[in-house]
Amino acid sequence: MDALTRRRFLISSGVVGGGALAAGAGVLGFHELLKSGEKTRAGDAQAGLPTLVLVTLYGGNDGLNTVIPYADPAYHRARPELAYAPGQVLHLDDALGLNPVLRGMKRLWDDRKMAIVRGVGYPKPDRSHFKSMDIWQTASPGTPAPTGWVGRWLDATKAATETAVSFEPALPPMLVGKSRIGACVSYRGLTLPPGVSPAVVSALGRAEPGESEMQARAAASYADLITMNRVVQEAASGTDEQGHTGGSTVQATGTGGDNALVAQLALVARCVEFQVPTRVYSVSLGGFDTHAGERVWQETLLKNLDEALSGFVDRMGRTEAGRRVTIVVYSEFGRRVRANASDGTDHGTAGPVFVLGHAVAGGFYGEQPSLTDLDDGDLKATTDFRDVFGTVLASVLASDPDRYLGGYRAQMLPLLRR
């Protein structure tokens, strides 16, 4: 296929994919990302460094129906139609238990590979999704900040492009610095128009003499999408390239589509196994704004979360690099203590944060908020979210958290085994 023919195809074919669309915009392709692991596998200094995976639950997950205070009468009084009976809950101790669909995470808890930080929030909480998420991602509750807390770390360390990667449709503010920015490699691989086969797309990725660098990058990104699609399809079948079963599958959600978190974590897993020198990954799952009919909808989402996380942690246990991965799961806020009239819950404040991995010191951290001593009907936060982020900055990224949290002095939590 000559360069002119290929150029015309690239312009007019209608092949759509995240990597291809971004190829000319300085965004790293998945093939380039995997290739960056070659130096590490050859003994580069980056080998052996731990990795952080940040999982954002967009919409404000109801923490009280995730980590359930099943023994507290106030819980049952506040939400009689939404509350889970003690016998339904996966007991963690004599007061708290997990939502009944979180069976994989309960197994990780029993294996001491999951920690739960209780009552996480920030001073003067904001109930706007956008404002609250901005606060979490910039680690700046008091004043607006133009950079994310990971972005500031990227700036200070003069990090390479592949140091922080988002496998989401758009780059989160968390990974944006002043002089450095994380890479965005969307998990949405490839949509082919009728009559165009993967073989044709792969052929387009071959180098052609006489073409410009930008044209070559754009063409190569199409072949890159074939690689991404294969990884995502392996996640859908629950089997990786070596034939291992990960224990998770792509599941339909209540509004159609798939569990994107499985696909995103499959891409993270491949990068970890290829020893890509990325230190921070960002992935996400949305849909947690449960104002009505919460029980069924939240259970669907939590089941997706459970399958994605438990399968990922199991897979990470197979390699030395994987055992150095720490996962932090958070949402922008919790929900109101009292249910509304639509069998749902409205925007609230504090909620639990999960920390998972083979290096995690499992158990509870922080104090469980009172269900009777409330702030205008909302939980009072007992742990500042910057203490969690500060802890992983220090223990996973080996950095001084005071430099990246806007002057906040983080209290270190013993979340990781030394």
Side-chain angles (χ1 to χ4, degrees):
M1 180 179 293
D2 61 53
L4 180 60
T5 302
R6 179 164 67 167
R7 182 174 182 274
R8 286 174 176 164
F9 183 92
L10 293 174
I11 293 171
S12 63
S13 67
V15 178
V16 177
L21 293 174
V27 176
L28 205 61
F30 189 59
H31 178 73
E32 294 174 280
L33 195 58
L34 295 180
K35 193 173 178 60
S36 71
E38 290 180 354
K39 291 183 180 179
T40 309
R41 295 194 297 276
D44 184 80
Q46 290 289 320
L49 295 178
T51 302
L52 178 63
V53 179
L54 298 165
V55 181
T56 303
L57 306 181
Y58 284 100
N61 178 44
D62 182 7
L64 288 176
N65 271 9
T66 303
V67 179
I68 300 169
Y70 68 89
D72 192 335
Y75 164 71
H76 297 278
R77 287 196 303 268
R79 40 175 72 186
E81 301 298 325
L82 289 182
Y84 287 87
Q88 296 176 292
V89 173
L90 304 176
H91 291 203
L92 302 175
D93 62 12
D94 59 2
L96 296 172
L98 289 176
N99 188 287
V101 303
L102 297 176
R103 297 188 178 278
M105 294 172 70
K106 174 61 163 60
R107 172 174 54 81
L108 295 176
W109 170 271
D110 292 340
D111 292 342
R112 307 293 292 177
K113 294 173 185 171
M114 184 174 80
I116 300 174
V117 188
R118 299 174 290 191
V120 183
Y122 55 88
K124 298 180 180 178
D126 193 296
R127 293 177 184 82
S128 161
H129 290 295
F130 305 105
K131 178 63 175 175
S132 189
M133 186 57 73
D134 183 69
I135 287 170
W136 276 80
Q137 297 212 1
T138 63
S140 182
T143 56
T147 56
W149 64 274
V150 176
R152 295 193 285 274
W153 173 75
L154 295 174
D155 285 344
T157 57
K158 296 179 171 56
T161 305
E162 67 271 13
T163 303
V165 173
S166 169
F167 284 120
E168 302 170 80
L171 187 73
M174 181 164 51
L175 304 189
V176 175
K178 287 184 178 178
S179 61
R180 295 291 192 278
I181 189 169
C184 184
V185 184
S186 174
Y187 73 92
R188 294 173 179 170
L190 186 66
T191 301
L192 294 175
V196 179
S197 69
V200 169
V201 178
S202 294
L204 292 171
R206 300 189 191 113
E208 297 285 352
E211 63 185 356
S212 70
E213 179 183 353
M214 291 303 294
Q215 184 180 330
R217 277 180 57 89
S221 71
Y222 281 85
D224 182 54
L225 293 174
I226 296 296
T227 304
M228 289 185 67
N229 259 27
R230 186 171 62 249
V231 175
V232 171
Q233 289 303 314
E234 288 166 3
S237 67
T239 304
D240 65 20
E241 198 171 59
Q242 287 73 42
H244 296 127
T245 299
S248 63
T249 58
V250 175
Q251 296 289 330
T253 67
T255 56
D258 58 25
N259 177 1
L261 187 57
V262 169
Q264 292 172 55
L265 288 176
L267 296 172
V268 174
R270 179 61 58 86
C271 290
V272 171
E273 290 160 355
F274 269 64
Q275 298 184 56
V276 170
T278 300
R279 301 296 308 282
V280 181
Y281 293 97
S282 177
V283 297
S284 63
L285 180 64
F288 286 90
D289 197 15
T290 51
H291 289 281
E294 179 181 306
R295 285 267 302 240
V296 172
W297 181 233
Q298 191 195 26
E299 284 185 4
T300 298
L301 291 169
L302 290 180
K303 188 170 187 289
N304 288 341
L305 178 69
D306 180 74
E307 292 175 339
L309 290 176
S310 59
F312 179 72
V313 173
D314 289 346
R315 181 170 174 176
M316 289 299 90
R318 300 183 191 128
T319 63
E320 183 179 350
R323 290 187 288 274
R324 292 191 294 268
V325 172
T326 299
I327 306 108
V328 176
V329 185
Y330 74 96
S331 193
E332 68 263 39
F333 46 60
R335 316 294 292 189
R336 302 279 283 180
V337 173
R338 186 168 296 280
N340 61 30
S342 301
D343 292 332
T345 51
D346 299 323
H347 300 177
T349 52
V353 167
F354 297 98
V355 184
L356 307 94
H358 292 261
V360 169
F364 284 120
Y365 295 86
E367 182 183 349
Q368 179 68 14
S370 170
L371 295 183
T372 55
D373 180 18
L374 303 175
D375 179 11
D376 190 26
D378 281 324
L379 298 174
K380 295 179 180 179
T382 59
T383 304
D384 195 295
F385 77 97
R386 291 167 291 182
D387 294 339
V388 179
F389 288 166
T391 296
V392 294
L393 274 164
S395 57
V396 180
L397 301 181
S399 298
D400 179 3
D402 293 347
R403 299 182 61 186
Y404 309 114
L405 299 178
Y408 178 79
R409 304 278 298 188
Q411 300 297 311
M412 295 295 101
L413 303 171
L415 292 169
L416 299 177
R417 296 191 296 272
R418 294 186 181 276

